[in-house]
Amino acid sequence: MLHLQNLHKTYQGAAPLHVLRGITLDIAPGEFVSIMGASGSGKSTLLNILGILDNYDEGEYILDGQPIKNLSESRAADLRNRMIGFIFQNFNLIPYKNALENVALPLYYQGVSRKKRNALALEHLERLGLREWAHHLPNELSGGQKQRVAIARALITKPRIILADEPTGALDSHTSAEVMQLLTELNAEGMTVIIVTHESGVAYRTKKIVHLKDGVIESIEENLHPSDNPFGDLMK
Amino acid sequence: MFDLDKWQEILQTITRNKSRSLLTAFGIFWGVFMLVFLMGGGDGLRKLMASNFEGLAQNSGFVMKGKAAKAYGGFKSGREWNLQISDVDLLKRRVPALETVTPIMGAWGQTATRNHHSTNATLKGVLPEYANIEDPHITQGRFLNDSDVQTYRKVCVIGKRIWETLFPDIDNPCGQFICVGGIYYQVVGVSKMSSNIGIMGSAESTVIIPYSTFARLYNKGTTIESIGFTARRGHTITELTPLVEETLRKAHTLAPDDKRAILLINMEAMFQMIDSLFAGIDTLVWLIGLGTLLSGAIGVSNIMMVTVRERTAEIGIRRAIGAHPRHILTQIMAESMVLTVLAGMSGIVFAVLLLQGVETVLLAQGMEASFQMSFGTAIGATAVLCLLGSAAGIAPSLRALAIKPIEAIRDE
């Protein structure tokens, strides 16, 4: 599904910063992976590269058979739209659009007709239990509801992978647990989910934990029984 | 092309900050309003001016006697001289490029009366071919004809004001008699001439009679007041005037450098003067209007820059979930264009309404004025607005395009 080979990334500047120093990683379809590391370990950079939001200097990145290298802005936008569902720490909903419009937006950029995309958006909102909130603006929703709207938006294009950047970072422990439960269910349905986090409580709910340190993979830990780890306890 | 969603997005963003959008739009509104209103006003003034020349041939000229100020050819200075009817034939022979050459007689300060009605009038004696110089715009009856002249008929064509004051109760005055200077003339036609420039005063209060009748009744002999002339196709009156002048100077032994001896009115030059005057006014109007419009457009550009800055995160999100650069580009461009065009259109509408008001007021005062802008100008103005709107959108769009999704999303 996702193949990284000796990936390097340096931020140019007054003092060039070599952030990623050779990442080699394979993620198979249907995996539930977390990338963990302290701040400055390069995990966000890695997530940006995985999400085709940033480019890399050296190495190889193949996403679902497609080499991701030197893409035009439009091509990158298309790939992001069709292959990747993003979930962000601070939700990143568009404040003046209601939940339904926010969820439907990726389909708008695909050129899907208004009627069809609104119907699909409503379907996804219903699945996440937000049907009656469909016409509310983001600031009328709670944090957990906002994140669920964001998840609906990430899912609506039927992406190949879900990339979540600290998805519980702005939520309390109870709603965090809900969101993690949701992601776990998605994975159970066969979706490949990658979570970037610095919280071990979140990481240990996934099946595979990639520890990142100073731009290299320190270790890859198989977590065979994620449900054995009581989420709420570890959050503290 | 018509994409409801796109329009909804544009409307949403514009109405999100209403007062700011309004203030921005006001710059454009004011610019367009100034441009259209001043243009309409300038045009109306031009038409008012032009109505003074209404009906006068542009390629025409008049010559009148002056006072021979210089001693020349054995004559002393200060001598009186007169144009003669023979000068008409002389000019026809010597200056073949003249098409019409016709004598004009005039008597100012006359009183025209009919029953107990009376009004001031100018009596004019002309030949039928005078119509080539000034279109008589006959509304009733006819103009003078050759047999009127040959048989010294006491018939007249009256101007609009004469008709209105002497015949307030009669629609068609033809066949009726009016009295000018103690002599009765039968009205054969009514003229709607309205020029004020005519060498014999306002055409509206003129009574025109045959040249021959005038000369005989007022004992003018062969003396005439003035000669009117027009140029043939392919010749300008400006090039013929010196020839006319030279011919007459020779015939009447006038000093070649005696400016006051002979008076020449060149209609072409007058028209040109008015034209260049209004061309100047037009240039000024355009400068002011476009200048105001430009500063309005810069205002729009400025505000769009701020808007893009404010919406950095939003644009980043859109890019992250699959918006192409062109989506962002068209969005920002369209916002700037919609703002500009809407504001501009309301400016046009407001100016048109105001011009209409001015026109109505002037019409009520009996002035025939038209200040309204033409439809073509309105279309042109709208095109200019679209252009300005897109120009104003360029810088903000480029800034929006430079936003990278990661930066935007990380921006907190």
Side-chain angles (χ1 to χ4, degrees):
Chain A
M1 165 62 59
L2 193 152
H3 171 69
L4 295 179
Q5 184 73 47
N6 197 25
L7 204 72
H8 283 264
K9 171 76 179 175
T10 304
Y11 284 119
Q12 300 300 333
L17 202 61
H18 198 170
V19 188
L20 297 182
R21 306 156 181 259
I23 303 277
T24 300
L25 181 65
D26 274 285
I27 293 172
E31 278 201 274
F32 193 13
V33 184
S34 59
I35 297 172
M36 237 191 111
S39 70
S41 61
K43 61 184 195 304
S44 293
T45 308
L46 183 58
L47 179 95
N48 287 335
I49 292 173
L50 290 179
I52 329 181
L53 294 168
D54 204 351
N55 43 21
Y56 51 95
D57 304 323
E58 211 179 292
E60 196 182 31
Y61 172 24
I62 293 169
L63 175 61
D64 200 23
Q66 288 238 23
I68 307 297
K69 182 87 186 171
N70 297 330
L71 299 173
S72 73
E73 290 272 18
S74 306
R75 181 86 185 108
D78 274 340
L79 284 177
R80 281 199 293 271
N81 183 283
R82 287 172 197 278
M83 310 264 267
I84 302 163
F86 287 99
I87 298 167
F88 302 100
Q89 176 173 5
N90 41 349
F91 325 125
N92 279 335
L93 300 173
I94 292 175
Y96 60 91
K97 288 185 176 293
N98 66 32
L100 187 76
E101 289 169 326
N102 262 295
V103 174
L105 198 58
L107 292 181
Y108 169 68
Y109 289 123
Q110 278 186 15
V112 175
S113 82
R114 181 187 183 79
K115 209 168 160 185
K116 201 169 161 194
R117 77 180 124 95
N118 280 351
L120 262 172
L122 201 62
E123 205 174 283
H124 277 82
L125 282 174
E126 187 165 19
R127 187 174 150 199
L128 295 174
L130 288 167
R131 196 195 167 96
E132 57 272 39
W133 296 96
H135 296 285
H136 286 254
L137 290 175
N139 61 12
E140 297 162 344
L141 303 175
S142 72
Q145 287 171 326
K146 279 189 229 182
Q147 196 58 300
R148 275 186 285 161
V149 172
I151 292 172
R153 183 177 68 184
L155 290 174
I156 197 162
T157 56
K158 299 194 170 61
R160 313 305 304 268
I161 54 174
I162 292 281
L163 281 182
D165 183 11
E166 304 275 10
T168 61
L171 302 175
D172 61 43
S173 57
H174 180 67
T175 41
S176 291
E178 272 179 21
V179 166
M180 284 315 292
Q181 185 56 40
L182 210 58
L183 291 175
T184 308
E185 281 166 20
L186 278 176
N187 175 248
E189 288 166 23
M191 180 68 79
T192 313
V193 179
I194 302 172
I195 298 175
V196 167
T197 184
H198 68 275
E199 286 176 79
S200 52
V202 171
Y204 280 100
R205 294 279 292 187
T206 64
K207 291 180 187 157
K208 193 172 175 181
I209 303 159
V210 177
H211 291 276
L212 212 62
K213 194 176 183 191
D214 296 330
V216 289
I217 294 176
E218 200 179 37
S219 62
I220 298 178
E221 189 181 337
E222 295 285 343
N223 185 24
L224 293 174
H225 305 289
S227 46
D228 292 351
N229 298 296
F231 182 76
D233 289 344
L234 280 163
M235 284 294 292
K236 284 156 191 165
Chain B
M1 182 60 215
F2 189 81
D3 184 345
L4 192 71
D5 297 305
K6 205 176 259 171
W7 284 100
Q8 201 185 7
E9 293 246 322
I10 293 165
L11 219 68
Q12 254 178 351
T13 47
I14 287 179
T15 51
R16 203 144 48 101
N17 204 328
K18 285 195 191 71
S19 53
R20 187 167 72 190
S21 297
L22 266 177
L23 284 174
T24 311
F26 188 76
I28 293 284
F29 166 82
W30 192 243
V32 171
F33 169 73
M34 291 283 272
L35 184 62
V36 172
F37 187 69
L38 288 179
M39 263 168 63
D43 218 41
L45 279 182
R46 182 211 298 272
K47 280 175 194 153
L48 274 184
M49 273 301 252
S51 73
N52 284 336
F53 298 84
E54 182 73 43
L56 275 172
Q58 269 201 44
N59 63 341
S60 67
F62 299 94
V63 59
M64 277 172 283
K65 63 160 188 174
K67 196 168 265 184
K70 286 187 179 167
Y72 180 72
F75 292 108
K76 64 178 166 111
S77 66
R79 167 174 68 104
E80 292 280 355
W81 67 282
N82 278 306
L83 285 166
Q84 301 293 323
I85 190 69
S86 55
D87 290 333
V88 172
D89 287 327
L90 184 72
L91 282 178
K92 277 184 186 163
R93 262 184 287 119
R94 293 280 165 83
V95 192
L98 290 178
E99 188 158 40
T100 309
V101 184
T102 183
I104 301 166
M105 311 294 289
W108 289 265
Q110 304 288 318
T111 307
T113 56
R114 175 182 163 268
N115 300 337
H116 57 280
H117 304 292
S118 84
T119 181
N120 292 328
T122 305
L123 194 65
K124 230 167 166 179
V126 301
L127 292 177
E129 65 199 16
Y130 179 74
N132 295 340
I133 292 176
E134 188 172 8
D135 187 345
H137 292 294
I138 293 296
T139 52
Q140 290 175 58
R142 60 172 176 85
F143 194 57
L144 303 175
N145 61 27
D146 287 334
S147 62
D148 293 336
V149 177
Q150 278 156 18
T151 56
Y152 302 92
R153 278 190 200 140
K154 286 183 193 155
V155 292
C156 67
V157 172
I158 58 175
K160 195 173 130 213
R161 197 173 304 147
I162 306 265
W163 167 51
E164 279 168 0
T165 41
L166 295 193
F167 299 94
D169 46 349
I170 296 177
D171 275 341
N172 186 356
C174 293
Q176 306 282 326
F177 286 85
I178 64 167
C179 174
V180 182
I183 300 158
Y184 281 86
Y185 301 93
Q186 186 172 29
V187 177
V188 294
V190 177
S191 152
K192 215 189 75 184
M193 283 191 290
S194 56
S195 74
N196 287 322
I197 194 83
I199 54 156
M200 307 290 171
S202 166
E204 288 186 347
S205 51
T206 300
V207 175
I208 301 174
I209 62 171
Y211 159 73
S212 54
T213 315
F214 191 105
R216 173 176 283 187
L217 288 173
Y218 287 87
N219 291 321
K220 290 291 181 188
T222 57
T223 307
I224 57 176
E225 207 79 53
S226 166
I227 298 174
F229 47 90
T230 62
R232 278 189 207 283
R233 267 185 109 76
H235 296 272
T236 65
I237 218 69
T238 311
E239 82 186 49
L240 297 179
T241 313
L243 289 175
V244 170
E245 196 177 342
E246 200 192 322
T247 310
L248 290 174
R249 280 187 195 279
K250 270 191 188 143
H252 294 276
T253 334
L254 297 167
D257 56 345
D258 192 347
K259 293 261 178 260
R260 282 159 60 195
I262 189 160
L263 290 174
L264 272 152
I265 297 172
N266 179 344
M267 291 313 292
E268 192 188 2
M270 305 241 327
F271 275 102
Q272 261 166 15
M273 199 185 73
I274 302 282
D275 267 357
S276 52
L277 176 70
F278 276 95
I281 292 178
D282 265 2
T283 315
L284 209 64
V285 164
W286 276 99
L287 275 180
I288 294 171
L290 286 185
T292 320
L293 209 54
L294 198 68
S295 63
I298 291 171
V300 169
S301 198
N302 221 338
I303 285 298
M304 291 302 295
M305 286 293 236
V306 174
T307 310
V308 165
R309 179 109 204 92
E310 269 178 6
R311 288 167 62 190
T312 304
E314 181 204 321
I315 291 168
I317 300 162
R318 285 173 185 268
R319 293 295 308 276
I321 61 175
H324 286 200
R326 77 179 145 83
H327 285 127
I328 304 296
L329 187 82
T330 47
Q331 167 95 24
I332 304 293
M333 286 295 256
E335 272 172 41
S336 131
M337 275 174 86
V338 165
L339 203 61
T340 312
V341 172
L342 275 185
M345 293 291 223
S346 45
I348 291 178
V349 168
F350 188 58
V352 162
L353 286 179
L354 213 64
L355 286 173
Q356 195 61 46
V358 170
E359 221 175 283
T360 316
V361 168
L362 283 181
L363 274 180
Q365 289 176 355
M367 282 166 87
E368 224 169 290
S370 91
F371 282 90
Q372 208 50 272
M373 72 189 300
S374 72
F375 190 65
T377 317
I379 297 281
T382 313
V384 168
L385 282 173
C386 289
L387 222 68
L388 266 181
S390 51
I394 289 174
S397 306
L398 290 182
R399 174 175 272 192
L401 281 188
I403 292 172
K404 286 229 180 327
I406 20 166
E407 292 164 14
I409 292 164
R410 290 271 147 189
D411 189 29
E412 271 148 42

